[in-house]
Amino acid sequence: MGRRCVFLIGLLGAVWLLASGHGGQQPPETAAQRCFCQVSGYLDDCTCDVETIDRFNNYRLFPRLQKLLESDYFRYYKVNLKRPCPFWNDISQCGRRDCAVKPCQSDEVPDGIKSASYKYSEVANNLIEECEQAERLGAVDESLSEETQKAVLQWTKHDDSSDSFCEADDIQSPDAEYVDLLLNPERYTGYKGPDAWKIWNVIYEENCFKPQTIKRPLNPLASGQGKNEENTFYSWLEGLCVEKRAFYRLISGLHASINVHLSARYLLQETWLEKKWGHNITEFQQRFDGILTEGEGPRRLKNLYFIYLIELRALSKVVPFFERPDFQLFTGNKVQDAENKMLLLEILHEIKSFPLHFDENSFFAGDKKEANKLKEDFRLHFRNISRIMDCVGCFKCRLWGKLQIQGLGTALKILFSEKLIANMPESGPSYEFHLTRQEIVSLFNAFGRISTSVKELENFRNLLQNIH
């Protein structure tokens, strides 16, 4: 518990005792204190504190980031929601209307995005179309230019590289469709129960680095976790190496962020005329209240700040890629594309100015052989989680789960590609490091979700302070 929080509680307690005459009892914590009192001060494995993140995100970054994500380039995301679950067959599809996803009609998507597909510039698009035509013929066409032939080989090599942390959709599949993210917002859908729990249980139990000696559930939301086991649970987590500990905290932070969204955009009232969405304080408390969650809720919120720092650091590292003069946020509207690139660079330079970035140099910094094995394990675990998203029974939840996992995977790819980014040419194709349009859209939208969650915590804190 941070010093500031301890001092505040002590001061309030003293005032309460003097006013009430209760000399031997402590006043009950307020609803806001029970959720947020421990969510203050410095974060584990970081040199940054919660208060600095709140100020930076809520007042300097969040408004501009939301404006960028409303632009055509970032609002249209191509996704295949019909891929079968690779792990089990008994998927119960959510039948609620709010679980459905409305795909775009062909004429609703800007022509520049459709023609560029997952590319990002007009020049690159024209070149890649030649490459894809050659690949469809089954070999490199000798009539293609030497540069184009090289691009075919290099991009194919890149797509098969070991730097990918996600198993991406085949967006050329007939089942892949464009979705307008603004018209299909992430919010509470009613998808819950055994099917929803099964997804998170598999993610935590089989993909986080759980020691064999731990017999109890790793999923902090699973039944059977009580106060008596809390110290044991976190003692093994603190005993892990920083990479494995970070892996768990990333998944927990993503889980917390999703729960914040669901609580902030909850179906409060429905009539035959309209639906009213808003903040459900009770739902938020059930997920994050320190007493109701037996001490787990505030830890989840601190992990939310941890994933914020990880994705923020990745965006600061990839600035040179977006600064290249031939990079465009290509939609076909040259004026808007130029304005949006300027806004994008403003946001990235703001992010780069953040004073307390996460130091990723501690990742995989030990013995080279062991570090390489650990990095591979890290990557494979994360790729497996990306495949689990095809098992989610709610299509809207699947959409946002796939996007956010791909966005986090892209952030990890960036963090582990620092040398490749530094060696990029100032112009022309970048063969060693490049981002597809899918990766770019998911990267910024995923961070936009985390940024929104941090902003929503301020809203919930204010709402809870009014509860006596």
Side-chain angles (χ1 to χ4, degrees):
M1 189 178 293
R3 292 181 182 177
R4 197 176 308 169
C5 187
V6 173
F7 174 77
L8 179 59
I9 291 181
L11 182 61
L12 291 174
V15 172
W16 183 83
L17 288 173
L18 289 172
S20 63
H22 289 76
Q25 299 180 9
Q26 294 294 325
E29 289 184 313
T30 66
Q33 289 170 345
R34 283 164 49 176
C35 288
F36 291 105
C37 194
Q38 297 178 45
V39 188
S40 63
Y42 286 94
L43 298 168
D44 297 336
D45 300 323
C46 304
T47 59
C48 187
D49 59 277
V50 167
E51 293 77 12
T52 298
I53 297 173
D54 283 338
R55 289 192 299 270
F56 178 78
N57 178 76
N58 297 351
Y59 302 107
R60 295 174 59 182
L61 195 61
F62 176 78
R64 282 184 286 181
L65 181 59
Q66 294 307 302
K67 181 180 178 180
L68 180 72
L69 297 180
E70 291 172 358
S71 68
D72 284 351
Y73 186 90
F74 289 99
R75 69 186 291 181
Y76 295 106
Y77 180 66
K78 197 170 188 181
V79 61
N80 184 356
L81 297 176
K82 299 178 182 179
R83 289 179 58 170
C85 172
F87 300 106
W88 58 83
N89 296 321
D90 56 331
I91 298 181
S92 178
Q93 300 292 349
C94 173
R96 298 173 61 93
R97 285 179 299 171
D98 293 323
C99 285
V101 171
K102 182 182 179 182
C104 297
Q105 300 297 318
S106 179
D107 59 352
E108 295 175 334
V109 182
D111 291 336
I113 291 179
K114 287 187 294 186
S115 63
S117 186
Y118 54 93
K119 289 35 174 218
Y120 46 79
S121 75
E122 188 172 15
V123 175
N125 179 48
N126 293 336
L127 178 61
I128 292 292
E129 284 181 348
E130 294 183 62
C131 297
E132 289 173 343
Q133 181 180 5
E135 289 183 298
R136 285 193 293 270
L137 294 175
V140 176
D141 190 336
E142 294 296 332
S143 65
L144 297 178
S145 68
E146 182 178 349
E147 183 181 15
T148 304
Q149 293 180 42
K150 184 178 180 182
V152 173
L153 299 177
Q154 292 287 355
W155 271 308
T156 300
K157 179 181 178 181
H158 168 83
D159 292 339
D160 295 334
S161 73
S162 61
D163 291 330
S164 175
F165 282 77
C166 288
E167 184 172 298
D169 282 345
D170 175 14
I171 60 172
Q172 303 304 322
S173 166
D175 290 330
E177 298 177 291
Y178 282 101
V179 173
D180 186 337
L181 298 175
L182 299 184
L183 298 181
N184 294 274
E186 183 179 29
R187 58 192 180 192
Y188 185 80
T189 64
Y191 177 62
K192 56 186 178 180
D195 293 320
W197 283 116
K198 186 175 183 178
I199 300 295
W200 285 112
N201 284 335
V202 171
I203 289 174
Y204 281 108
E205 292 293 311
E206 298 183 17
N207 292 282
C208 288
F209 293 89
K210 179 181 178 181
Q212 296 298 319
T213 55
I214 301 296
K215 303 300 183 184
R216 58 182 303 284
L218 178 56
N219 183 351
L221 299 184
S223 60
Q225 179 169 312
K227 293 181 180 178
N228 295 334
E229 295 181 331
E230 182 178 348
N231 292 333
T232 302
F233 177 62
Y234 283 98
S235 64
W236 75 256
L237 183 61
E238 293 169 1
L240 293 177
C241 65
V242 65
E243 295 88 356
K244 293 181 179 180
R245 188 163 63 241
F247 190 97
Y248 169 81
R249 296 183 67 195
L250 287 174
I251 300 305
S252 174
L254 177 60
H255 195 176
S257 178
I258 292 172
N259 283 331
V260 171
H261 303 154
L262 304 188
S263 302
R265 304 192 71 166
Y266 198 93
L267 182 57
L268 301 177
Q269 185 179 0
E270 182 176 8
T271 66
W272 67 280
L273 285 175
E274 63 178 356
K275 293 181 178 182
K276 180 181 178 182
W277 302 87
H279 295 83
N280 188 321
I281 300 176
T282 301
E283 187 74 19
F284 182 86
Q285 288 178 293
Q286 289 176 347
R287 298 172 187 268
F288 299 109
D289 184 286
I291 294 178
L292 296 179
T293 61
E294 299 179 322
E296 178 63 29
R299 292 181 185 270
R300 298 172 193 158
L301 293 180
K302 294 194 82 169
N303 289 336
L304 165 61
Y305 283 96
F306 180 77
I307 191 175
Y308 181 95
L309 285 179
I310 292 292
E311 296 195 5
L312 191 77
R313 181 58 167 167
L315 289 170
S316 74
K317 288 284 188 180
V318 80
V319 173
F321 176 82
F322 293 105
E323 284 182 323
R324 299 162 75 239
D326 58 344
F327 173 82
Q328 300 178 49
L329 295 175
F330 184 64
T331 66
N333 186 324
K334 292 185 178 181
V335 174
Q336 289 186 7
D337 291 347
E339 291 176 352
N340 287 328
K341 182 177 179 179
M342 289 180 60
L343 177 58
L344 173 70
L345 292 179
E346 286 179 12
I347 291 171
L348 289 175
H349 286 126
E350 186 74 63
I351 289 173
K352 199 171 182 179
S353 72
F354 184 71
L356 297 170
H357 273 294
F358 180 82
D359 182 10
E360 75 283 0
N361 290 325
S362 58
F363 278 10
F364 313 111
D367 176 79
K368 186 173 182 180
K369 184 176 180 180
E370 292 182 3
N372 288 338
K373 182 181 184 305
L374 185 57
K375 179 180 178 181
E376 180 66 7
D377 289 343
F378 199 96
R379 187 184 67 84
L380 292 177
H381 277 277
F382 201 86
R383 282 181 67 92
N384 209 40
I385 292 175
S386 71
R387 299 174 68 204
I388 293 173
M389 291 300 103
D390 287 316
C391 302
V392 177
C394 165
F395 284 114
K396 187 167 290 181
C397 306
R398 184 183 297 194
L399 163 67
W400 285 102
K402 289 166 79 75
L403 181 145
Q404 291 177 82
I405 288 293
Q406 185 179 23
L408 179 54
T410 303
L412 294 174
K413 166 185 168 180
I414 292 168
L415 287 179
F416 300 132
S417 302
E418 183 174 11
K419 292 183 180 179
L420 299 180
I421 294 173
N423 293 329
M424 286 189 308
E426 293 184 1
S427 62
S430 173
Y431 299 123
E432 296 299 324
F433 177 86
H434 80 281
L435 296 176
T436 66
R437 181 181 178 275
Q438 285 289 104
E439 289 175 316
I440 295 170
V441 172
S442 64
L443 174 67
F444 281 90
N445 272 284
F447 181 67
R449 295 283 77 208
I450 303 297
S451 173
T452 299
S453 293
V454 172
K455 176 64 176 176
E456 288 292 359
L457 291 187
E458 180 181 61
N459 296 331
F460 276 112
R461 187 183 289 110
N462 293 334
L463 291 169
L464 287 167
Q465 285 175 347
N466 296 322
I467 298 178
H468 299 287

